[in-house]
Every structure is written in C-alpha cells, then in structure tokens.
Amino acid sequence: MSKSFELPKELLLGSATAATQIEGGDVNNNWYHWSLAGKVGNGESSITGADHYNKYVEDVELLSELHHECYRMSIEWSRIEPEQGKWSSEGVEHYRDEFRRLIQKGIKPLVTLHHFSCPQWYQEKGGWLSENAVEDFIRFVKFSVETFGDQISEWCTINEPNVFANDSYMDGKYPPGGHGDIAAYMKVTKRMVIAHLKSYKLIHQIRKEKGFAGETKVGFAHHIAIFEPLNSHPLAKLGCFLSDYLFHEIHMKGFVEGKLVFPLGSGYPEGKGIFCDFMGINYYSRHLFKASYNPGNLFATPMVDPTIPESSKNDLGWEIYPEGLYKVCQRTWKRYKLPIYITENGIPDEKDEKREKYIIDHLYQLKRLLDDGIKVERYYYWSFLDNLEWNDGYGPRFGLVEVDYSNMKRKPRPSALRYAKICRTKKIVRP
Ligand code: GAL
C-alpha cells in the first residue's frame, strides 16, 4: 500500500448529519416521543441533540473552516409540517437560511427528506403502515422541493430504508418498536420503494417546471454492508444469501430499477427506467453469518469475525474493513454505471485514535476505484458532529467535531484537522 496518494479535485469531500441527531429542540417528531417513553439509551432524549438548531450559523462557519466541500444534511419533516397540512414558515425560514449560508461558503448541500424520523402525527396514524403513508410523504416532498428547490438541486429521498424497516419492525429499536414483524418489514419496504419512485419523478418535474438552476440529482442512501458466511456450512451460506437478498437486493431492484421483486410484489409500479441519478452508499462494516438452525434468523445469525483484534474494531465493536468499501462500490458500478456518492462512512472513536487512519484507509479504496475507471464523486464522512446515535443515545462519538454536551461547545478533534487538510489539498500522506 502506497505511503502517499492523491485524489482528483472532482471528488468532493465533506461530511454528513441528520436533523434529529443534531438539532435538538423539536417536540413534534416521533423520536422525541420515543425518548419520552424511555426508549433511548440512558434515558437520553432527542430534545437536546447537539443544539445545532440554535448553533447552525456557527456550525456552517466551522464546516467552512474545516474545508468541507459538500455537506449532507436532512430537513426535519415535523419542523416543516408540525401538524398535518399546516406548514411552518419558521421551519422554512430556518432551513432557507442554513442553505443560503452553506451555498455562500461554497459548500454543496445534499438534502435528505427522510432520515429515520417523521412527525408524531404521521406516526400516530400508523407511520409507514398507514393507508396514506405514501401520499402524506409525497405531499411533504412536493412542498419541500417547491420551497427549497431553487437552493437545492441534489436530493436524497430516503435514508437506509433497510435499516429503518429492520430497526422499526424487526429489532424493536426504533419507533414503533415492532419485533420480528416480517410482514411489516415488507409492507414498509414496498411503500418506501413506491415513495422513492414517485419522489424521483416529482423532484425532477418540479425543478424543471420552475426553471430552477443547477442539474437535478436524485437518489437514496442505501446501507450496504459486506455479508459473508462464517464458514462453508450450508445454513451459513443460505442465511447469508437470504439476508443479502432481503436487506440489499430487493431495495436495489426497487429504488434503482423501479421493479418490485418477490416478496414485495412484481412489475414496475411507476414504469420502467432508472430512478437514481447517483448511487448513494452508506458503508460501515462486514458481518459474518453463522448457521443458527433457527428459520426466524433466516438460518444464520450475523456476527463480527471472532478472530480479529480489538485494533480492527470501533467503539461499538464493529469490524473496520476498508476493502469492503471497494467491493460494494465495484459491484454497484458494474451493475448500473451510476456515479457513486459515499453518503456515509465513519467511525465511533471517542479517543480519536483510529479516525484518521480509518478515513485515509477508506479514501485509499476510493482511489483504487477511481484508478479502475469507476466514477466516485462524493465522500461524506459520518459525522460532522457528535450526535444522538438513535436508541444508543449520545455515548458513541462519531464526530469529527467533539461536542461537550454540558455546554454544547464544539472542538474539532485532531482527525478533523487532518481531514480538513485532505479536503483542501486532496493529497494524503499516511502518518
Ligand atoms: C447509519 C445512519 C446514521 C448514523 C450511522 C451511524 O445507519 O444513517 O443516521 O446513525 O448509521 O451508526
């Protein structure tokens, strides 16, 4: 592995966040109510966040000081539509100002419309299981694109539909806390596919009709992990195959190709075509599948490779496996030839001992992809700031920038300064 390498200027480097994880202060989203019910670790609450809603001016300055070229963020649906059908001018003005400041600083925004949270009124109607789930979401998409479309040309419709449906209906971690409800997993997945396909068309249509400047780019952020059987046991292989199909493949077919495949359904609900202008990939880790003789686990249980040392794990015990990034990007490129955006990639590392190497090792994989002629256009490190790691609370520290939750002070970690230099020069010298 070479000691130093360079990345092309065209590959934009930056970071990502999500509204519910950093903003704080919103009482109208379902994660606030989930927190009130004591479902977030250590009794913590989304109400605090990293106080980004009040500190966004300072945070945009910091992004700029750290030379980030692009920034992926989400808008909180409940701040825009706190009650069904009632649009909040305060929410609109807030985001318009945040976008304006980013653009002024030359930081390209990519805006996510659904990042795991929804308004409480939507949750109370049944969330993505309600009869009007898609219709309600599409109304929000239409309003958002009409309202922000002059500032925002790049949109990510839905973040990690696979993790969302799994953690909300199979693992009980996210609201409404369903357990092992595979029927709900499928129903929600199908609705999210349809919502994405409709949004894709609508976003293009609105921006075109209104004559908004800039090339419209729409995609979603797919969580793609490396799945491998632990050994040659037939159940390990079968379980790995089934998990890969239900966690990755049915989404690829749906979100990218517009095709419903078994068990979601069949055919092309919104016509044939390609419904992504970029392939958004959230990549974190590798999971090995161990035969479990329990069809409930799809015949195999995912686990971390028992042979790897602690130095190859992050603070949450996930394997650090940079080559996996090369593999997932190469596979999707071969299939669709869509420009790749690494919409998330990052590490919880409180002591900041592994982050710099983690980033460099993953950027090196991007360099390999680019050398192979694969178009990689964006890298968004997860995350800009320490934040609420959903049901795990504020413990895991993913941030380039450390947040002292006692006074909400920001402090860039040493790795943030090293990454800033990489963003500015695109030259990487291994420490
Ligand atoms: C992703 C998610 C992010 C963040 C990250 C770190 O699944 O989109 O919101 O929590 O994982 O675990």
Side-chain angles (χ1 to χ4, degrees):
M1 211 184 278
S2 55
K3 185 121 178 69
S4 61
F5 61 97
E6 237 174 276
L7 293 167
K9 294 266 171 289
E10 303 73 52
L11 168 63
L12 301 189
L13 303 177
S15 60
T17 57
T20 318
Q21 294 177 274
I22 61 168
E23 284 184 349
D26 180 38
V27 295
N28 294 314
N29 72 62
N30 62 339
W31 272 87
Y32 174 63
H33 292 261
W34 192 238
S35 314
L36 285 182
K39 304 286 189 174
V40 171
N42 308 318
E44 289 166 340
S45 167
S46 63
I47 200 70
T48 46
D51 200 25
H52 173 72
Y53 197 74
N54 294 314
K55 289 187 175 289
Y56 73 100
V57 174
E58 179 190 329
D59 286 342
V60 172
E61 291 288 332
L62 194 50
L63 278 167
S64 169
E65 281 164 26
L66 292 173
H67 301 291
H68 289 213
E69 302 176 286
C70 54
Y71 179 55
R72 175 176 172 233
M73 59 177 278
S74 71
I75 46 180
E76 187 72 80
W77 179 358
S78 53
R79 286 197 188 272
I80 305 288
E81 193 182 6
E83 287 174 55
Q84 182 166 7
K86 291 209 174 133
W87 307 102
S88 158
S89 53
E90 193 216 307
V92 166
E93 286 319 313
H94 173 89
Y95 288 117
R96 283 198 68 84
D97 192 48
E98 183 162 2
F99 297 150
R100 189 176 59 75
R101 287 170 189 275
L102 285 165
I103 295 162
Q104 244 174 19
K105 295 279 179 196
I107 302 169
K108 179 90 189 153
L110 167 64
V111 171
T112 305
L113 289 154
H114 188 280
H115 197 126
F116 293 170
S117 68
C118 66
Q120 181 62 12
W121 61 259
Y122 183 84
Q123 186 71 60
E124 282 169 10
K125 282 173 77 178
W128 285 88
L129 288 173
S130 103
E131 278 312 306
N132 313 107
V134 174
E135 195 184 309
D136 288 342
F137 178 68
I138 292 296
R139 218 183 33 249
F140 162 63
V141 173
K142 181 170 181 286
F143 181 86
S144 300
V145 180
E146 284 172 350
T147 309
F148 306 116
D150 58 329
Q151 297 176 298
I152 302 299
S153 57
E154 305 203 343
W155 297 86
C156 173
T157 56
I158 296 177
N159 179 68
E160 299 189 347
N162 50 358
V163 171
F164 174 77
N166 185 69
D167 289 13
S168 307
Y169 301 100
M170 300 292 288
D171 279 358
K173 292 184 195 164
Y174 297 180
H179 280 279
D181 190 348
I182 187 100
Y185 178 91
M186 295 308 164
K187 199 169 190 176
V188 166
T189 303
K190 179 175 176 177
R191 293 205 169 143
M192 287 194 147
V193 167
I194 293 171
H196 167 79
L197 302 177
K198 286 186 184 295
S199 303
Y200 179 87
K201 294 205 268 191
L202 188 63
I203 298 171
H204 274 279
Q205 184 198 322
I206 295 172
R207 290 200 81 255
K208 194 171 167 198
E209 275 171 12
K210 302 233 175 222
F212 290 150
E215 192 184 344
T216 305
K217 292 188 185 164
V218 184
F220 78 118
H222 196 6
H223 181 106
I224 312 183
I226 293 286
F227 284 179
E228 286 170 4
L230 175 68
N231 49 35
S232 58
H233 194 294
L235 286 185
K237 287 186 181 169
L238 177 66
C240 182
F241 170 81
L242 289 175
S243 299
D244 184 53
Y245 181 78
L246 294 175
F247 199 69
H248 297 138
E249 182 61 13
I250 60 177
H251 302 83
M252 284 290 212
K253 288 280 185 200
F255 283 73
V256 184
E257 297 177 40
K259 188 175 182 189
L260 291 175
V261 292
F262 177 81
L264 301 184
S266 61
Y268 296 85
E270 292 293 317
K272 284 193 180 177
I274 290 291
F275 293 83
C276 286
D277 303 311
F278 58 86
M279 187 68 223
I281 296 176
N282 292 2
Y283 173 76
Y284 286 92
S285 193
R286 163 164 70 173
H287 307 275
L288 301 183
F289 284 80
K290 184 177 191 273
S292 66
Y293 305 95
N294 171 8
N297 274 334
L298 298 173
F299 307 105
T301 314
M303 61 186 286
V304 176
D305 183 346
T307 64
I308 59 167
E310 284 307 308
S311 57
S312 298
K313 293 183 196 168
N314 69 24
D315 287 355
L316 287 168
W318 308 346
E319 180 182 0
I320 300 170
Y321 182 57
E323 292 82 357
L325 182 62
Y326 179 87
K327 291 183 190 171
V328 298
C329 292
Q330 194 199 38
R331 274 185 221 144
T332 57
W333 173 261
K334 270 196 184 155
R335 248 173 119 164
Y336 300 120
K337 299 277 186 294
L338 283 170
I340 293 171
Y341 287 15
I342 306 303
T343 34
E344 283 181 31
N345 174 241
I347 180 172
D349 176 26
E350 186 165 12
K351 297 193 181 130
D352 202 40
E353 287 168 349
K354 299 177 183 167
R355 189 172 284 104
E356 181 185 354
K357 180 171 172 359
Y358 178 97
I359 293 175
I360 291 179
D361 288 348
H362 285 82
L363 289 179
Y364 181 69
Q365 300 303 322
L366 300 189
K367 159 82 176 145
R368 288 181 60 208
L369 291 160
L370 287 156
D371 286 349
D372 289 351
I374 296 172
K375 262 183 152 181
V376 187
E377 297 186 349
R378 301 287 163 81
Y379 176 82
Y380 301 90
Y381 174 81
W382 182 273
S383 176
F384 167 50
L385 291 174
D386 283 340
N387 59 60
L388 176 77
E389 177 57 8
W390 305 110
N391 59 300
D392 281 332
Y394 293 95
R397 300 285 187 145
F398 279 90
L400 288 165
V401 174
E402 182 184 345
V403 175
D404 177 344
Y405 291 109
S406 69
N407 55 18
M408 294 297 174
K409 285 229 163 75
R410 275 80 168 125
K411 187 172 167 217
R413 295 193 161 98
S415 59
L417 304 176
R418 303 294 296 240
Y419 183 53
K421 194 166 174 210
I422 295 175
C423 294
R424 186 168 56 81
T425 62
K426 300 282 162 73
K427 290 195 175 83
I428 293 115
V429 182
R430 289 176 190 278

